[in-house]
Amino acid sequence: MAYKRSIGVHTYIFDTLADLLARATPLRSGDVLAGVAARSELERVAAQMVLADLPLREIIATDLIPAEIDEVTRLIGETHDAAAFRRIPATTVGDFRNWLLLDTTTGAILRDIARGITPEMAAAVSKIMRNQDLIAVAAKIRNVTAFRTTIGQAGRLAVRLQPNDPVDSPRGIAAQIVDGLCYGCGDAVIGINPAGDNPAQVAALLHMLDEIRRQYDIPTQSCVLTHVTTTIEAIERGVPVDLVFQSIGGSQAVNDSFGVNISLLREAHDAAGQLRRGTVGDNCMYFETGQGSALSADAHHGLDQQTIEVRAYGLARAFSPLLVNTVVGFIGPEYLYDGKQITRAGLEDHFCGKLLGLPMGVDVCYTNHAEADQDDMDNLLTLLGVAGCNFVMGVAGADDVMLNYQSTSFHDAMYLRSVLGLRPAPEFERWLIDMGLFNGDLRPMDGPRRAEKLLGMKSL
């Protein structure tokens, strides 16, 4: 079915729903690279006008990727809650936007109908929203998950402590962990991206993280961000595994490129769940995504990169994960060219994920060859704090020397908590105070005294 709209003397025709969604998307370099972006601002406006009048039921009835060739499409259809959808008092995408922005549409209401929203619905409405709209709606929603800490509550901001080392040096990793803990980071997860995927090395890192956690009685969870098959092998060998990590995408083809499928993810989820290592909850999966991954794998099926990104969230929510993280600027300027595009993508991803009921975090980041700098990241970090982001990254010096990209530092997390009055996860907050790292008002001790408090009791 073709869609058309006239503006002045020009009539714009959009051949398919996929074409309409792509042309309505705010400008980003990845869509230009894929040849699906609007060819002018007028065409983009025309597409957004058509999209605003599009019935939501038409989006639900249309498979952007045919179900017979794509298991993600099948999962989205099988898990859609039609009864929840019928409780949404909106018939078109434009009506849906207006309803989301009403003061009477509370976070509780949005959580209640989340399973009635398809990824394609969320992507569509985001394309006709301003940045402030994305922030205002996301700020209402609290998607709370738990393992050893409770993440996502109002007034809380968690931090993934990311102690990556180029050669997986235990001393280098331990030093970064101590540094991060002294700044109140690590309540989301202490998660290492290993330099390699060797099972023995992964097992050694998992044992190390578990020893540190038990030695200091830290109420958090650990994770080595290796391939899901390596984690399953570690579980079978009795290695202490808290969370199962995997990168995922919005089509079967992109997941094939990652070496995963839904069956494998279910196997990993069940294996980790049977360990019952959580103390306050049982959410045991950690997923990472990012706009551009499908295009870079030539697995986007002609969809714009934001729409197929949100389809990955439809896959993620089937596993009730503890954490979902969009690594928003990691792939490079070929997909998100500059700070403005990275900011828009981060707000879109966060909004869409929370609308679908996910515990969204954002790696506020960029590569060194992007037209972006740390000021751009400060802006996005602050906007996400206002929007109620569940967690952000904590990287020593904001410079990940193993993955070779720029993220957010331990100090950045302290800044955001300070200016917005946010606190760590409750279990972790009590530990920080009990350890003498922070006082009762959550003001940190000075740097040397924090380290002395931690290291003076026991040695790593």
Side-chain angles (χ1 to χ4, degrees):
M1 174 182 176
Y3 308 86
K4 65 180 181 179
R5 184 79 181 208
S6 296
I7 298 180
V9 298
H10 298 283
T11 298
Y12 297 93
I13 299 175
F14 311 99
D15 295 330
T16 63
L17 178 57
D19 184 40
L20 175 64
L21 290 168
R23 307 294 178 186
T25 304
L27 178 65
R28 62 209 56 194
S29 53
D31 291 339
V32 175
L33 180 64
V36 301
R39 287 154 288 203
S40 69
E41 288 302 319
L42 275 178
E43 185 181 42
R44 181 171 291 107
V45 169
Q48 290 173 340
M49 293 172 72
V50 173
L51 187 59
D53 292 334
L54 188 73
L56 294 173
R57 290 190 178 276
E58 188 168 330
I59 296 176
I60 294 174
T62 305
D63 288 342
L64 296 181
I65 304 174
E68 58 267 23
I69 66 168
D70 190 85
E71 66 174 3
V72 177
T73 297
R74 295 194 294 273
L75 179 69
I76 290 170
E78 291 164 1
T79 56
H80 180 239
D81 187 336
F85 171 74
R86 287 193 293 271
R87 295 202 298 273
I88 300 173
T91 57
T92 67
V93 175
D95 292 338
F96 188 36
R97 170 194 175 272
N98 294 339
W99 178 72
L100 290 172
L101 288 166
L102 290 174
D103 289 338
T104 51
T105 305
T106 63
I109 290 172
L110 293 175
R111 286 194 307 275
D112 195 41
I113 56 92
R115 294 278 175 169
I117 302 171
T118 68
E120 293 83 358
M121 283 173 56
V125 75
S126 74
K127 296 175 190 297
I128 61 169
M129 298 175 80
R130 295 170 57 186
N131 284 4
Q132 69 170 241
D133 298 340
L134 300 173
I135 294 168
V137 176
K140 301 180 186 182
I141 306 170
R142 301 294 167 185
N143 298 324
V144 179
T145 55
F147 191 80
R148 290 195 191 92
T149 55
T150 304
I151 299 169
Q153 294 174 324
R156 306 277 179 176
L157 173 73
V159 184
R160 171 190 162 188
L161 203 171
Q162 184 170 306
N164 296 343
D165 185 273
V167 294
D168 289 340
S169 164
R171 289 178 62 84
I173 291 170
Q176 293 179 72
I177 291 174
V178 170
D179 194 20
L181 292 172
C182 288
Y183 280 94
C185 298
D187 46 344
V189 62
I190 301 176
I192 302 170
N193 296 91
D197 208 34
N198 178 277
Q201 181 63 14
V202 168
L205 291 173
L206 285 166
H207 279 295
M208 174 188 175
L209 289 176
D210 195 57
E211 181 181 352
I212 292 173
R213 181 189 63 79
R214 288 186 293 105
Q215 187 177 39
Y216 291 95
D217 197 24
I218 308 170
T220 190
Q221 35 284 330
S222 64
C223 184
V224 173
L225 283 68
T226 186
H227 192 269
V228 64
T229 54
T230 306
T231 305
I232 292 172
E233 180 181 340
I235 292 173
E236 291 172 345
R237 292 171 52 197
V239 177
V241 172
D242 289 343
L243 305 185
V244 174
F245 166 81
Q246 184 56 49
S247 294
I248 58 172
S251 74
Q252 181 175 329
V254 71
N255 289 322
D256 285 344
S257 76
F258 291 144
V260 297
N261 54 45
I262 293 173
S263 176
L264 185 60
L265 293 174
R266 284 176 176 150
E267 179 185 350
H269 175 268
D270 292 346
Q274 289 172 8
L275 298 177
R276 302 188 184 280
R277 289 174 59 83
T279 56
V280 296
D282 59 4
N283 301 111
C284 60
M285 301 295 283
Y286 175 12
F287 293 119
E288 285 193 346
T289 67
Q291 290 194 29
S293 60
L295 177 56
S296 66
D298 194 23
H300 62 296
H301 294 273
L303 302 184
D304 66 272
Q305 64 186 34
Q306 191 250 343
T307 296
I308 200 161
E309 164 76 1
V310 184
R311 283 170 53 90
Y313 305 157
L315 170 59
R317 74 174 170 182
F319 296 91
S320 301
L322 178 76
L323 308 167
V324 178
N325 177 35
T326 170
V327 192
V328 67
F330 180 72
I331 302 181
E334 300 85 356
Y335 306 97
L336 296 170
Y337 179 72
D338 57 15
K340 181 175 182 178
Q341 292 187 14
I342 292 171
T343 297
R344 174 69 191 191
L347 295 176
E348 287 172 349
D349 292 353
H350 178 254
F351 160 82
C352 289
K354 289 187 78 173
L355 196 61
L356 293 177
L358 290 175
M360 288 302 297
V362 179
D363 190 344
V364 179
C365 63
Y366 64 102
T367 58
N368 290 316
H369 61 310
E371 288 295 318
D373 58 29
Q374 212 63 37
D375 286 339
D376 294 312
M377 299 306 103
D378 285 349
N379 294 340
L380 177 54
L381 178 67
T382 305
L383 293 174
L384 287 166
V386 174
C389 189
N390 279 29
F391 67 101
V392 295
M393 302 298 110
V395 178
D399 184 2
D400 192 310
V401 295
M402 196 279 283
L403 293 176
N404 196 28
Y405 79 119
Q406 308 303 311
S407 185
T408 47
S409 69
F410 308 142
H411 180 270
D412 293 334
M414 288 189 66
Y415 145 77
L416 195 60
R417 284 172 172 167
S418 175
V419 297
L420 296 180
L422 302 173
R423 306 169 75 91
E427 301 85 357
F428 194 78
E429 175 184 313
R430 288 192 292 270
W431 179 82
L432 290 171
I433 295 170
D434 290 345
M435 286 290 289
L437 300 176
F438 284 63
N439 64 25
D441 295 327
L442 279 188
R443 293 189 178 91
M445 308 289 281
D446 65 84
R449 288 184 64 194
R450 289 202 303 275
E452 181 182 340
K453 284 283 187 181
L454 195 60
L455 294 176
M457 299 179 70
K458 298 172 184 175
S459 61
L460 289 173

